[in-house]
Amino acid sequence: MSDSKLTLVTGATGYVGGRLVPRLLASGHRVRCFVRDLARLQGRPWLGEVEVVQGDMLQSSTLEVAMRDVGVVYYMVHSLSGGGNFSQYDIDAARNCSQAASAAGVERIIYLGGLGNPETDLSPHLRSRHETGDALREGKVPVTEFRAAVIVGSGSLSFEMIRYLTERLPVMICPKWVFTKIQPIAIRNVLDYLVAALGCPESVGLTLEIGGRDVLTYAGMMMGYAQARGLKRRMIAVPVLTPRLSSYWVHLVTPIPANIAQPLIKGLGNEVVVHDPRALKLFPTIDLLDYETAVRLALALVETRGLETMWSDALTSSQGSRTPRTLTTREGLIIERRQQVVPAPAQSVYHSFARLGGTRGWLYMDWAWQIRGILDRLCGGVGMRRGRRDAEDLRVGDSLDFWRVEMVEPGKLIRLRAEMKVPGRAWLEFESRPGANGETLLLQTALFEPKGLLGLLYWYVLYPMHSLIFSGLIRKVAEAAISKP
């Protein structure tokens, strides 16, 4: 590909596409993103480094604009959430992309599809992934198609389903598909292949199967996740549990809706294992991860909050008017966010929440915080006796009552990690965002990663009390900022 030509990433708001863009930029490529909704790229740290074209794969005129001066197209579009007709939508969109690329003189298309033996009775979902690749190949532009099974990474659809089922069910009633063989692959290895293909002319026009080091079963993946989390789980196999019933169960237990889970679950009965080793020979320098390592890396991202994308990024609409409180569940975290517009400078708001704890206390229902500290001490925890190092200054690593300071951005943000005894992990974050007319948006976010069913029960049993305390806390922080500009 000529260095003067752009690399076009379609599906840049999706799970893989959103992580591919920064990898391409880091490798020195000029990138253009093709998206349906510009708002869904807001907040991406790389947004200022790329060109963006808004359009739709079913609208040829927008594709013509997107393809100008493009050398390589990454086709990352997938419409699993598009209803029962998702297969035809994918085929039509792929054909349009192929035709537009041919007309624009694009040199190559790189596509990420699904692993599965085409000679077997594939599920509609997996069959659609193969048919999409066929539709891309109908044009004049050569296609490199990578086929992968479950992508292991925090936020990926399949991995999140495994995470929530394993976390929340001490005893799992399992249909026969959990014993199907599968070769999962870490998200970072998927990105390794996609980026490396640009420098590998031998891969042009090939269909390459990619997978990680281990061949497992879905049951093995769940038990491997449980082991990484220190959970004891038991599985009971049952002879009959239809995909429809399974999807309803997934809908009940996880954040994944039934209409998305059902086509995915239908594909779990197909063995998805690499049989063609050509990818290993073409890309010998890629260090493939084993499943255990991939899981631990995915879990580490939750702790550091280094998540780039998640499966629902391409499905959810951008937030419109601000609401004072939202309660969501994502990447294994329960997240409660409160926000309030404060008629005070951002520095005053920051100063107000950065002085919490220690001798100053917690401004609202401080007696409840003290009781929580006493209970923690009785359980062998640190309690509230540690106070804080300095009444005004915070540094990363400081103890703050039963919290540990995990992040400080002076004048803007602090994040505290809980060190009290809880069945999981918890954080509390405050942020001040400057607004118009001297006002500031104060955000207060409580995050909880429950460990197993006990952790989930802990959250919901105490949620009424936590809700009362946190609603009063943000109000008092705002009042303190106003009274001391």
Side-chain angles (χ1 to χ4, degrees), residues 232-247:
K232 294 183 179 180
R233 292 295 180 259
R234 183 183 178 189
M235 293 187 172
I236 300 176
V238 295
V240 178
L241 190 59
T242 67
R244 180 181 293 273
L245 290 175
S246 296
S247 67

Side-chain angles (χ1 to χ4, degrees), residues 79-101:
S79 57
L80 181 60
S81 62
N85 201 32
F86 67 85
S87 177
Q88 190 58 51
Y89 176 92
D90 274 347
I91 293 172
D92 292 342
R95 282 176 177 157
N96 287 347
C97 179
S98 178
Q99 293 169 6

Side-chain angles (χ1 to χ4, degrees), residues 145-166:
E145 179 179 352
F146 289 102
R147 291 180 175 176
V150 167
I151 296 176
V152 182
S154 192
S156 82
L157 179 57
S158 298
F159 181 70
E160 291 304 313
M161 185 170 71
I162 289 170
R163 179 209 296 272
Y164 280 97
L165 289 173
T166 309

Side-chain angles (χ1 to χ4, degrees), residues 299-451:
L299 294 175
L301 284 180
V302 173
E303 183 172 0
T304 61
R305 297 193 65 204
L307 295 161
E308 300 174 75
T309 59
M310 65 174 297
W311 64 270
S312 61
D313 284 347
L315 310 180
T316 55
S317 61
S318 57
Q319 185 178 352
S321 59
R322 294 183 181 127
T323 54
R325 181 179 66 88
T326 58
L327 182 64
T328 58
T329 303
R330 53 184 289 177
E331 302 101 22
L333 291 170
I334 300 173
I335 305 171
E336 188 204 48
R337 172 165 290 175
R338 297 175 183 272
Q339 51 190 9
Q340 183 170 331
V341 176
V342 185
Q347 185 63 40
S348 296
V349 175
Y350 171 82
H351 185 71
S352 179
F353 59 67
R355 296 174 62 239
L356 287 169
T359 56
R360 188 186 184 214
W362 290 85
L363 300 183
Y364 183 75
M365 290 180 65
D366 194 59
W367 58 268
W369 294 82
Q370 296 297 329
I371 290 176
R372 181 63 179 89
I374 292 171
L375 293 175
D376 190 56
R377 290 287 293 179
L378 292 175
C379 295
V382 295
M384 295 278 281
R385 295 183 180 180
R386 299 186 303 183
R388 55 181 292 163
R389 176 185 58 83
D390 186 280
E392 301 291 331
D393 180 57
L394 277 183
R395 295 191 307 220
V396 173
D398 279 355
S399 59
L400 176 55
D401 294 334
F402 45 52
W403 304 94
R404 179 74 59 181
V405 180
E406 189 173 83
M407 179 180 289
V408 176
E409 294 183 20
K412 181 181 178 182
L413 176 146
I414 65 169
R415 187 193 311 138
L416 310 175
R417 185 182 71 248
E419 292 190 337
M420 78 283 279
K421 296 284 188 178
V422 291
R425 295 184 294 179
W427 295 263
L428 182 60
E429 181 178 282
F430 297 89
E431 182 180 359
S432 61
R433 295 182 184 176
N437 303 318
E439 294 181 332
T440 299
L441 178 64
L442 168 62
L443 296 103
Q444 174 187 286
T445 308
L447 305 99
F448 184 60
E449 182 192 23
K451 184 172 183 179

Side-chain angles (χ1 to χ4, degrees), residues 124-146:
H125 171 227
L126 289 179
R127 181 69 63 186
S128 171
R129 307 307 290 139
H130 289 195
E131 291 172 347
T132 298
D134 294 337
L136 289 171
R137 282 184 284 268
E138 290 179 3
K140 300 177 182 179
V141 181
V143 177
T144 298
E145 179 179 352
F146 289 102

Side-chain angles (χ1 to χ4, degrees), residues 54-231:
Q54 184 173 11
D56 193 302
M57 278 292 169
L58 299 183
Q59 297 177 3
S60 299
S61 60
T62 59
L63 279 170
E64 291 175 7
V65 175
M67 296 288 179
R68 290 172 187 166
D69 301 320
V70 167
V72 173
V73 173
Y74 279 94
Y75 192 81
M76 301 286 122
V77 176
H78 185 23
S79 57
L80 181 60
S81 62
N85 201 32
F86 67 85
S87 177
Q88 190 58 51
Y89 176 92
D90 274 347
I91 293 172
D92 292 342
R95 282 176 177 157
N96 287 347
C97 179
S98 178
Q99 293 169 6
S102 297
V106 170
E107 300 169 15
R108 186 179 182 189
I109 296 173
I110 300 175
Y111 165 60
L112 178 62
L115 191 58
N117 185 351
E119 303 302 321
T120 61
D121 184 21
L122 292 177
S123 71
H125 171 227
L126 289 179
R127 181 69 63 186
S128 171
R129 307 307 290 139
H130 289 195
E131 291 172 347
T132 298
D134 294 337
L136 289 171
R137 282 184 284 268
E138 290 179 3
K140 300 177 182 179
V141 181
V143 177
T144 298
E145 179 179 352
F146 289 102
R147 291 180 175 176
V150 167
I151 296 176
V152 182
S154 192
S156 82
L157 179 57
S158 298
F159 181 70
E160 291 304 313
M161 185 170 71
I162 289 170
R163 179 209 296 272
Y164 280 97
L165 289 173
T166 309
E167 285 280 352
R168 298 186 172 186
L169 301 175
V171 178
M172 289 179 272
I173 308 299
C174 301
K176 61 182 181 180
W177 55 256
V178 301
F179 302 107
T180 303
K181 288 184 178 180
I182 182 172
Q183 192 166 352
I185 182 170
I187 178 61
R188 65 176 57 193
N189 285 151
V190 172
L191 298 173
D192 288 338
Y193 277 117
L194 290 172
V195 175
L198 290 175
C200 182
E202 296 84 2
S203 65
V204 175
L206 297 183
T207 297
L208 301 169
E209 299 179 349
I210 58 175
R213 289 186 181 181
D214 301 322
V215 176
L216 306 167
T217 64
Y218 289 98
M221 291 177 66
M222 291 181 186
M223 296 306 289
Y225 177 91
Q227 183 177 0
R229 289 281 288 139
L231 300 170

